[in-house]
Amino acid sequence: TAALRESLAAGAGPALTKALAQRVADMRKGERARDLVALARLDMDFHWQLFAHCPNPYLHAGYEVIRWQLVAMRHRAPIDNAVSSHQVLVDAVGDGDVETACALLIEHVLENEPRYSAACEHPDGAPPAQPPRGRGRGRGGSTRRARAVRRRRRSRRVWPRAHARAARARSSGWRQRRA
């Protein structure tokens, strides 16, 4: 909501409204075609417009930190009511009603949160498989064995010893004595 507030305070309301309305028009086409990939992309682009019209570089940078996680979530769980949930935001921004637009944006994000949470917990729609009984983590099975194997491999590594030998040779000046 900070990007939305700052965009409107900077006078970007008409340009922002036009950009958001264009995204909603494209969402209508995507819904008619049932193109979920396009809808996920357009949903991401719709929300990016709030930052694109915001003059605050710190908000841009903050959004960029989480942008690709949002892309992944939107592709795992595309929105099912894209046009209607975004059109009310466009209308509020077009009216210049900052408080209503911010309240609608918060509501829009929070209504999608359970869907995104479920997509993150179960990306393919199925609950996670349970580990087999008796040999899983913490039961002394494969985890302890794997640690022992790693320890043995580490103790057999040759390169640390060879590196140490070369360092000793360099420091003792063995090449100079050879000549």
Side-chain angles (χ1 to χ4, degrees):
T1 60
L4 177 57
R5 285 182 194 280
E6 289 195 27
S7 297
L8 294 176
L16 179 59
T17 303
K18 183 178 178 183
L20 295 177
Q22 179 60 49
R23 297 331 179 266
V24 170
D26 292 342
M27 284 180 189
R28 277 193 185 92
K29 293 175 189 172
E31 272 190 353
R32 272 189 246 123
R34 297 177 190 253
D35 187 353
L36 296 179
V37 174
L39 281 173
R41 182 183 49 78
L42 289 165
D43 185 26
M44 192 69 198
D45 194 31
F46 180 93
H47 292 276
W48 169 246
Q49 292 305 312
L50 301 174
F51 294 91
H53 289 84
C54 175
N56 187 333
Y58 295 107
L59 291 175
H60 281 262
Y63 187 74
E64 283 298 320
V65 169
I66 63 167
R67 185 174 181 192
W68 296 110
Q69 288 90 357
L70 293 171
V71 167
M73 282 192 312
R74 285 187 173 119
H75 281 280
R76 283 184 183 165
I79 191 167
D80 51 357
N81 60 344
V83 173
S84 60
S85 67
H86 289 90
Q87 184 62 53
V88 294
L89 287 168
V90 174
D91 296 340
V93 171
D95 294 341
D97 188 355
V98 178
E99 294 308 316
T100 302
C102 288
L104 287 169
L105 181 60
I106 290 169
E107 181 183 324
H108 169 69
V109 169
L110 291 179
E111 80 182 9
N112 291 304
E113 191 269 334
R115 185 170 43 87
Y116 290 146
S117 293
C120 289
E121 289 174 13
H122 314 296
D124 58 354
Q130 296 296 322
R133 289 262 183 211
R135 295 247 181 218
R137 291 182 128 188
R139 292 189 177 86
S142 61
T143 306
R144 191 177 305 149
R145 249 190 322 273
R147 267 188 261 143
V149 167
R150 281 194 303 270
R151 259 194 315 272
R152 271 184 297 207
R153 285 182 185 156
R154 262 188 256 130
S155 68
R156 284 190 235 149
R157 287 186 185 148
V158 175
W159 67 267
R161 285 183 241 141
H163 179 67
R165 246 188 323 245
R168 280 193 306 273
R170 277 194 304 274
S171 67
S172 66
W174 67 275
R175 286 184 188 231
Q176 295 165 355
R177 277 186 253 140
R178 241 176 160 202

